[in-house]
Amino acid sequence: MTAEHTPAALPEADFVIRAQELVKTFRLGETIVRALDGVSFAVGRGEKVAITGPSGSGKSTLMNILGCLGPPDEGEYVLAGEPVSKLSGNRLAEIRNKYIGFVFQTFNLLPRLSAVENVELPLLYGGVADAPQRAQEALETVGLGDRMRHEPSQLSGGQRQRVAIARAIVTDPAILLADEPTGNLDQSTGQEIMALFDDLHAQGRTVIMVTHDQEVAGRCERQIHILDGRIANGAEDARGD
Amino acid sequence: MLFWTTLKVALRSLLANKLRSILSMLGIIIGVGAVIAMLAVGAGAQKQVLDHVTALGSNLIMVMPGQPRSGGVRGGSYQTLTVEDAQAILAEVPEVEKASPVARGNGQFKYYNKNKESSIMGVTLTYLGIRNFSIEQGRNFTVSEVEQRVKVAVLGADTAEELFGEDDPIGEQIKIAGVTFKVVGVLKAKGTQGPFSFDDQALVPYTTAMDRILGTDYLSEIDLEIAEDSDQEAVQAAIEDVLRKRHAIRAGQDDDFHVRNMAEMVETATSVTRTFSLLLGSVAAISLVVGGIGIMNIMLVTVTERTREIGIRKAIGAKDRDILVQFLLESILMSALGGVVGVGAGVSVAQVSSLVSGFTAVVEPVSVALALSFAVCVGVFFGFYPARRAAALDPIEALSYE
Ligand SMILES: Nc1ncnc2c1ncn2[C@@H]1O[C@H](COP(=O)(O)OP(=O)(O)OP(=O)(O)O)[C@@H](O)[C@H]1O
Ligand SMILES: [Mg+2]
């Protein structure tokens, strides 16, 4: 059962994510919601993992923690060998910049910046020297070499998501986190985006993706099913080893 | 690199809301404009006073009727000084080299169809020397003309110019306050400007002025020239002694006249302009603060509107400081831009007021620098709180902000 949540027989150095007993609670007036209720799993380098589960089960909450947008209330989280669950503020910003590429359901591009400026932004925050050059290459990778100067409002939904993916990969992060990346796209555009993720995975990138689409989830190497803040595909014992 | 992109973004977001940005900058524009205009007018006024003093010469002492300040500089309403006082001072104080009674009035000047209002200065012939005037054309009046109350006039340069233009005024008849005078001379221009310019007046014998125009036995002023290098304080005290004796003022009693030297005049003038600039400066400072609050208000709105953008930036690696700098830069840009526009507005106002008021407002580079740096400080000060709020936003909450 362990194999469901942890890739078998990997040397320690090849784990990108190790999460143990992650807990996140929200207080809404009187009621306390345990959005994450002891989640443990690991992800190896180069894996493509789908996170599935019904609405409100805690998928986005998990993604936020994996993306270092905020610390868990309890539990251990080791990202690319660095323990990050106790970090906060600016240290987390550095970690995000260095290790994580986000792809959101609503694209989340900055409106008044051109495609290439959007893609450059993480490099600028990271203090990387040849930002324009690398941003161009990333846009070419996602097939938008001819749309560099367009602003988001001048691009289609699929194109916007490609820009967002270019922005996510431009820093060459340890993981790509995508929370329902096709949720705002029509069927065929969604398939194009999925094909792009397949390509990125084939190039050796680690991808963790929240999806409602069973077909998409089926194409991933592994699925983690969340129910009421817990991993529900069988294992109680979902620790790293 | 990041800085330039940040600046570019700040500029674009200001341009994206042009009207809103301009309205928010209005307070700064008005504040800076006011500072520039006020300082320019103040500096112009001060320069005018100093020009006057230079034109008068430093060994001039003036005796005015009444208490200092009680009747203002002109003190026309006090009737305490007489021609005999002037003669007594000249006779009894050895350092006093020249003395001229001054009976001042205002009147309509007329030459054919030309008309103008000017000062009439009833003086004696030594007045020219005391006040550093010289004759450009024609002659000064003579002792006998003064004694016999002859209706002769020596015109100031501007007065002559306005009444006669290109024509030769010498020997022409003009009417001053309804009395016909013969123009015998024109003074060389001193180049002073404004309503109290030394070039806009006519000198006539004081006897003529007092008898035929003003109808008074009292003087508005006695002008004295004292010897070069004499002790001003001592001479002043000697003059006061003479007058107190003549006016029978006992010890402990207040004088019914006051004596002024040029140093005092400069001091009074500068203290007046200083008070004036301080007053207007504080008004301008208040409007800058109001402008700053306007900027703070719009920056708070901007931060709320762009919560999601802040979340995105944080998600891709912006530190708190990056966000802080971004919004601070935006508010500084707004206040600095407002400052630049305000300087333009202030300079225009100063120029217009120069045209209208007749004396030149002087825009000093220092005041421009001062106003601009003040504007930038306002941007920093009032932009800081909204920027810090932006920087402190939680990335998860900011990202899910609708
Ligand atoms: N900021 C918050 N404050 C209070 N409760 C929250 C907050 N964020 C999430 N929750 C609660 O935590 C639970 C998990 O939410 P989460 O967004 O992770 O679900 P999800 O699996 O992503 O759902 P969906 O598929 O609809 O996106 C929900 O019950 C939700 O109401
Ligand atoms: Mg969700």
Side-chain angles (χ1 to χ4, degrees), chain B residues 320-341:
Chain B
D320 291 358
R321 194 172 43 99
D322 297 321
I323 303 292
L324 185 90
V325 167
Q326 183 190 338
F327 283 91
L328 210 49
L329 209 63
E330 214 165 290
S331 74
I332 292 172
L333 197 67
M334 198 151 33
S335 66
L337 225 60
V340 170
V341 176

Side-chain angles (χ1 to χ4, degrees), chain A residues 26 28 33 35 54-61 180 212:
Chain A
F26 294 105
L28 277 177
V33 181
S55 185
S57 56
K59 305 182 296 292
S60 295
T61 306
E180 300 189 48
H212 281 299

Side-chain angles (χ1 to χ4, degrees), chain B residues 157-275:
Chain B
D158 291 347
T159 313
E161 163 81 35
E162 261 189 74
L163 288 177
F164 292 94
E166 296 289 292
D167 300 340
D168 182 7
I170 308 300
E172 296 296 317
Q173 308 274 332
I174 61 170
K175 286 219 186 246
I176 300 178
V179 181
T180 306
F181 277 77
K182 190 172 118 187
V183 179
V184 295
V186 176
L187 296 174
K188 194 172 269 173
K190 291 223 181 202
T192 54
Q193 286 172 338
F196 308 116
S197 168
F198 299 131
D199 294 332
D200 183 13
Q201 61 184 7
L203 310 185
V204 301
Y206 69 91
T207 47
T208 320
M210 290 165 79
D211 261 25
R212 298 183 193 266
I213 299 178
L214 305 172
T216 174
D217 290 330
Y218 294 96
L219 300 176
S220 0
E221 188 178 312
I222 299 170
D223 282 10
L224 307 168
E225 184 177 310
I226 59 171
E228 232 36 271
D229 307 326
S230 51
D231 178 356
Q232 290 223 352
E233 301 281 308
V235 176
Q236 201 164 322
I239 293 166
E240 281 166 5
D241 271 354
V242 171
L243 287 179
R244 283 173 74 88
K245 224 173 280 162
R246 286 185 52 80
H247 294 190
I249 297 165
R250 275 166 292 143
Q253 235 179 331
D254 283 341
D255 292 346
D256 60 358
F257 62 90
H258 62 279
V259 181
R260 305 199 129 190
N261 59 42
M262 280 301 101
E264 274 173 357
M265 293 289 284
V266 172
E267 206 171 290
T268 312
T270 44
S271 89
V272 166
T273 45
R274 201 180 305 129
T275 318

Side-chain angles (χ1 to χ4, degrees), chain B residues 61-85:
Chain B
I61 284 186
M62 296 190 273
V63 183
M64 317 274 195
Q67 287 287 306
R69 290 176 207 281
S70 59
V73 179
R74 306 210 114 190
S77 52
Y78 288 84
Q79 306 202 320
T80 54
L81 291 180
T82 61
V83 176
E84 290 72 34
D85 287 336

